[in-house]
Amino acid sequence: MNYRKFSQNYAKEIGGEYREYDDTQSVIIVPLKRGRFQTVTGHIVKHPGYNREVIHLKSKVCELTYDIPFQECLEASKDYPYTKFVVEDGFLKVEAINFLVNLKEDMVKEMITEIAEHADDWELKITGKDIH
């Protein structure tokens, strides 16, 4: 899969916006219901343990604070087929990772949609705003 080309086409397909950083990293701004948007980043890296390329799809939920309902977030993760919550660089994020060779375009579309929707839902629930 050529992730860069896929990202460009998918952003166009959903009426979103595509931004490229380099051959292995890009951003799709995903339009959501209620006029909201969510940024999903895609990074392709070589997994050190498996020596194969993986794709990391992520979206920020909010900055880390002590009032985040972490237990509720983790309990909700059981209902998401692709995504999980992670803490990274001072933020609560929603992330999905998979080996690039295993992915079909429809699956990546589902992953991006799930990440954007869940990150946005939790962002609204925790902050009451549309930040990321």
Side-chain angles (χ1 to χ4, degrees):
M1 167 190 284
N2 180 332
Y3 182 70
R4 185 163 110 201
K5 186 172 180 132
F6 163 81
S7 297
Q8 290 170 329
N9 291 337
Y10 186 54
K12 244 186 248 180
E13 180 182 316
I14 62 172
E17 197 175 312
Y18 170 81
R19 294 186 186 152
E20 182 179 320
Y21 288 98
D22 57 37
D23 287 342
T24 63
Q25 184 174 321
S26 61
V27 171
I28 298 175
I29 300 174
V30 180
L32 299 167
K33 57 188 176 250
R34 300 184 308 265
R36 295 172 61 86
F37 295 87
Q38 193 69 27
T39 301
V40 176
T41 62
H43 309 270
I44 298 172
V45 297
K46 187 159 245 171
H47 189 284
Y50 291 93
N51 201 29
R52 291 189 283 167
E53 286 187 326
V54 295
I55 186 159
H56 287 255
L57 298 167
K58 302 177 189 180
S59 187
K60 291 179 182 175
V61 174
C62 62
E63 287 188 59
L64 289 180
T65 62
Y66 291 105
D67 58 346
I68 294 173
F70 287 108
Q71 183 172 344
E72 194 175 339
C73 292
L74 293 173
E75 288 172 350
S77 287
K78 73 179 177 6
D79 297 325
Y80 306 150
Y82 298 110
T83 59
K84 62 183 178 186
F85 285 96
V86 295
V87 172
E88 181 183 66
D89 300 328
F91 288 90
L92 176 65
K93 297 180 180 183
V94 176
E95 173 184 70
I97 302 171
N98 207 322
F99 291 107
L100 203 54
V101 297
N102 294 343
L103 294 177
K104 305 285 185 243
E105 286 189 5
D106 286 344
M107 182 184 286
V108 179
K109 290 176 182 180
E110 288 176 348
M111 292 167 72
I112 290 170
T113 300
E114 181 177 299
I115 288 167
E117 289 175 353
H118 292 308
D120 186 66
D121 288 346
W122 283 93
E123 176 186 67
L124 181 60
K125 183 175 184 161
I126 293 169
T127 71
K129 300 175 185 173
D130 188 10
I131 303 168
H132 303 287

